[in-house]
Amino acid sequence: MKTRKKILKNAFLISLFSTVCVAGTVLINSITKNKIIYQKEQEKKILLQQVIPKQICQRFTKKLYKIKNKFLGNNKTHNLWLLFSIKNNKPEAAIVETTAPDGYSGSINMLVAAYFDGKIIGVRVISHKETPGIGDKIELSVSNWIKIFTNMRVSSIADKNFLLKKYGGKIDQFTGATITPQSVTNSVKRTVVFIKTIPSIFHFFNEHVYDN
């Protein structure tokens, strides 16, 4: 009888210990996950401020939409901020979260801002897994390469200016790397082509997901 009680007691203690451990792990994971999400959102806010210069941003108000489009690199839902002119309350430009799916080491996530006529306001990289010292030159903190797109204009998806110089375009490559810069360049071009279509599809937009 005593042996049975002892076994039950030990089983209860082990069960209790396991429950406490699991609960602790879940709690720590939840806290850590929330902190990571918060940190990423703060970083995104900083990038939003960088992709639109202050003197330009002051001319607009922003409104957030959710969008799906094949030109944005995958089938996921992306954030899209429409920029409405303060003067007439009409949308004139957009900032879009987009993805270059074919980076050298995986997907490259970016913010691309452009006017509806195809003129680029700015581009910034949100996250990537490119090789340190080579592919990471797409980060503004590493080099100014990403600024090359500012004020360029995309005419169409066949615009040959958006090729590396070695292929006859206007975009500089990195020493020892061509896949990363061309991947980013292709994504920027596709995203701006999409932004140019917004005036014709804007009436479909709502604050949920517009899938096209």
Side-chain angles (χ1 to χ4, degrees), residues 24 59 68 88 106 162 197:
R59 294 161 31 200
K68 286 184 179 181
N88 57 25
F162 287 81
T197 69

Side-chain angles (χ1 to χ4, degrees), residues 158-170:
D159 193 331
K160 294 183 178 180
N161 288 326
F162 287 81
L163 292 171
L164 300 186
K165 287 181 178 179
K166 67 177 293 184
Y167 301 132
K170 293 186 175 181

Side-chain angles (χ1 to χ4, degrees), residues 74 99-103 105-109 127-130:
N74 54 38
T99 298
D102 51 356
S105 300
S107 296
I108 301 169
N109 299 306
S127 63
H128 70 89
K129 297 178 182 178
E130 301 303 283

Side-chain angles (χ1 to χ4, degrees), residues 3 11 20 50 63 131 145-146 154 158 169-170 174 188 191 202 208:
T3 302
V20 171
Q50 291 180 357
K63 187 173 182 180
T131 307
W145 180 84
I146 201 72
V154 177
K170 293 186 175 181
F174 307 150
V188 170
T191 303
F202 174 63
H208 301 291

Side-chain angles (χ1 to χ4, degrees), residues 15-205:
S15 177
L16 179 62
F17 178 76
S18 299
T19 301
V20 171
C21 287
V22 171
T25 301
V26 171
L27 178 60
I28 292 171
N29 182 64
S30 177
I31 293 172
T32 304
K33 183 179 179 181
N34 290 336
K35 284 185 177 180
I36 292 173
I37 292 173
Y38 174 78
Q39 183 63 32
K40 286 184 177 180
E41 288 303 314
Q42 292 303 110
E43 291 173 357
K44 191 182 296 182
K45 285 181 181 180
I46 293 172
L47 290 172
L48 276 170
Q49 293 170 357
Q50 291 180 357
V51 80
I52 297 284
K54 187 176 181 180
Q55 64 271 25
I56 295 178
C57 190
Q58 290 174 341
R59 294 161 31 200
F60 298 100
T61 57
K62 295 195 296 289
K63 187 173 182 180
L64 176 62
Y65 296 84
K66 301 292 183 179
I67 196 82
K68 286 184 179 181
N69 188 278
K70 62 182 180 180
F71 277 18
L72 304 185
N74 54 38
N75 293 322
K76 295 180 180 179
T77 300
H78 295 252
N79 287 327
L80 180 153
W81 293 266
L82 278 185
L83 304 182
F84 291 82
S85 171
I86 291 177
K87 289 184 178 180
N88 57 25
N89 199 36
K90 291 183 179 180
E92 296 183 0
I95 308 171
V96 183
E97 282 185 358
T98 189
T99 298
D102 51 356
Y104 183 79
S105 300
S107 296
I108 301 169
N109 299 306
M110 300 180 291
L111 288 173
V112 175
Y115 295 103
F116 293 158
D117 65 359
K119 184 178 179 181
I120 298 171
I121 302 171
V123 180
R124 291 293 182 273
V125 171
I126 300 173
S127 63
H128 70 89
K129 297 178 182 178
E130 301 303 283
T131 307
I134 303 178
D136 64 348
K137 292 178 182 178
I138 56 178
E139 289 184 41
L140 183 61
S141 60
V142 177
S143 80
N144 286 324
W145 180 84
I146 201 72
K147 291 185 176 181
I148 196 171
F149 299 106
T150 302
N151 293 323
M152 288 187 70
R153 194 181 299 270
V154 177
S155 61
S156 70
I157 199 66
D159 193 331
K160 294 183 178 180
N161 288 326
F162 287 81
L163 292 171
L164 300 186
K165 287 181 178 179
K166 67 177 293 184
Y167 301 132
K170 293 186 175 181
I171 307 301
D172 292 324
Q173 68 182 72
F174 307 150
T175 302
T178 57
I179 294 176
T180 300
Q182 189 61 72
S183 175
V184 169
T185 300
N186 291 341
S187 181
V188 170
K189 179 176 65 173
R190 288 194 301 266
T191 303
V192 176
V193 168
F194 164 71
I195 289 174
K196 291 175 68 173
T197 69
I198 289 178
S200 65
I201 62 176
F202 174 63
H203 58 286
F204 290 112
F205 280 27

